[in-house]
Amino acid sequence: MKLTFLGTSHGVPAADRFCSCAMLEVNGAHYLIDCGAPAAELLIRRGIPYTALRAIFTTHAHGDHTNGLLHLCDLSNWKFKDASYDVFLTEQALADALKTMIAIQDTVLDEQRIRLHVIGAGHVYSDENLSVTAVPTRHMEHAGRPSYSYIIECEGKRLIFTGDLHGQDAADFPAAAKAEPSDLIVCEMAHFSHEVAFSHLKDCPTKRVFFNHVWYNYEQSMAGIEAAKGRYPFEVLAVADNDEFIL
Ligand SMILES: [Zn+2]
Ligand SMILES: [Zn+2]
């Protein structure tokens, strides 16, 4: 499988970073984890037909994780009519808003092809390539709204995407990342320091840790990530847009 980061910035894009969007390619099928980057355009730029898109998993409703959905779903609806995929959302309001915006733009969403689902905790999706489980986090707890980490099992490997977490202590860091071995943890670092991140990660039996969404004291955090290399039993890396990894 190949993991490509289409967007690695936090809530605000940077000159060289779109907002959160990771793409997993397995046996020719493509999956997105969050869609804060202009995925519609980036797929075309990369020569990836929309027919290759199988599913999109969003961790929560914030725009830096979902704002790329509208153009992607809209284009899939009126132009690329061979596209057929599942979109996993955390709230019904987001599904309703997408449908409303597409209707305003003059088409009715073909829900046979662009299938919107509202997820809860637990198993979300399985196909012949991978299985996805959602684990609740507390990132939007202040608003009484849901958010999730994702555990993806694929080709005998286990990947954990933390999604955005809660507050400066990341107390909702996914327990599953500590309880069971994983091959990769993609850890956000927008809301807490690298010291807090490593206070959780040191207990995780994982092989690699990729940091994205870095915002909290950016310079210090990046320096902290750099200084951590070689100090833990797992690989440590801050990822950038267009980084690709064969896992
Ligand atoms: Zn975010
Ligand atoms: Zn957020």
Side-chain angles (χ1 to χ4, degrees):
M1 77 183 107
K2 183 164 83 174
L3 175 62
T4 303
F5 288 91
L6 300 181
T8 56
S9 193
H10 53 82
V12 181
D16 55 353
R17 290 174 191 262
F18 293 120
C19 292
S20 277
C21 186
M23 179 170 68
L24 204 55
E25 178 185 353
V26 191
N27 298 323
H30 289 67
Y31 306 84
L32 300 181
I33 300 99
D34 280 327
C35 198
E41 291 85 344
L42 293 174
L43 291 181
I44 290 171
R45 225 175 241 199
R46 288 170 173 269
I48 298 167
Y50 286 17
T51 49
L53 195 54
R54 189 72 72 84
I56 302 170
F57 306 96
T58 58
T59 56
H60 63 292
H62 281 156
D64 56 319
H65 299 255
T66 58
N67 278 345
L69 283 173
L70 176 59
H71 200 194
L72 186 57
C73 293
D74 183 46
L75 274 176
S76 304
N77 199 44
W78 73 266
K79 173 62 179 172
F80 300 108
K81 289 179 181 288
D82 292 339
S84 177
Y85 53 83
D86 294 283
V87 183
F88 295 93
L89 305 167
T90 53
E91 300 182 55
Q92 185 62 46
L94 194 51
D96 295 341
L98 266 176
K99 283 191 273 189
T100 299
M101 283 298 291
I102 287 169
I104 289 168
Q105 295 176 358
D106 206 21
T107 58
V108 174
L109 183 67
D110 181 349
E111 295 186 69
Q112 300 293 314
R113 293 190 299 106
I114 315 300
R115 297 173 293 276
L116 308 182
H117 311 272
V118 179
I119 67 166
H123 176 260
V124 168
Y125 176 87
S126 291
D127 64 14
E128 73 277 18
N129 293 318
L130 50 73
S131 171
V132 179
T133 301
V135 178
T137 63
R138 294 167 48 204
H139 178 59
M140 295 185 74
E141 179 183 71
H142 61 282
R145 296 165 61 190
S147 60
Y148 299 91
S149 298
Y150 282 118
I151 300 172
I152 299 178
E153 283 159 301
C154 179
E155 297 182 336
K157 295 190 165 69
R158 184 178 168 88
L159 320 178
I160 297 173
F161 290 78
T162 67
D164 284 5
L165 299 172
H166 174 72
Q168 295 191 359
D169 59 358
D172 55 341
F173 189 91
K178 299 176 185 177
E180 294 178 50
S182 61
D183 295 274
L184 170 66
I185 298 172
V186 179
C187 183
E188 72 114 332
M189 212 202 284
H191 304 93
F192 41 83
S193 67
H194 61 279
E195 288 96 340
V196 166
F198 284 108
S199 75
H200 292 286
L201 290 163
K202 68 178 175 42
D203 300 323
C204 296
T206 192
K207 293 177 182 166
R208 302 173 111 171
V209 173
F210 292 169
F211 290 101
N212 71 347
H213 221 50
V214 180
W215 176 72
Y216 187 96
N217 287 342
Y218 183 82
E219 303 296 338
Q220 281 171 260
S221 292
M222 293 301 270
I225 293 167
E226 197 58 35
K229 291 180 177 175
R231 288 177 48 194
Y232 294 92
F234 43 77
E235 179 189 349
V236 172
L237 192 64
V239 291
D241 286 23
N242 303 314
D243 280 355
E244 294 182 350
F245 302 90
I246 303 298
L247 303 176

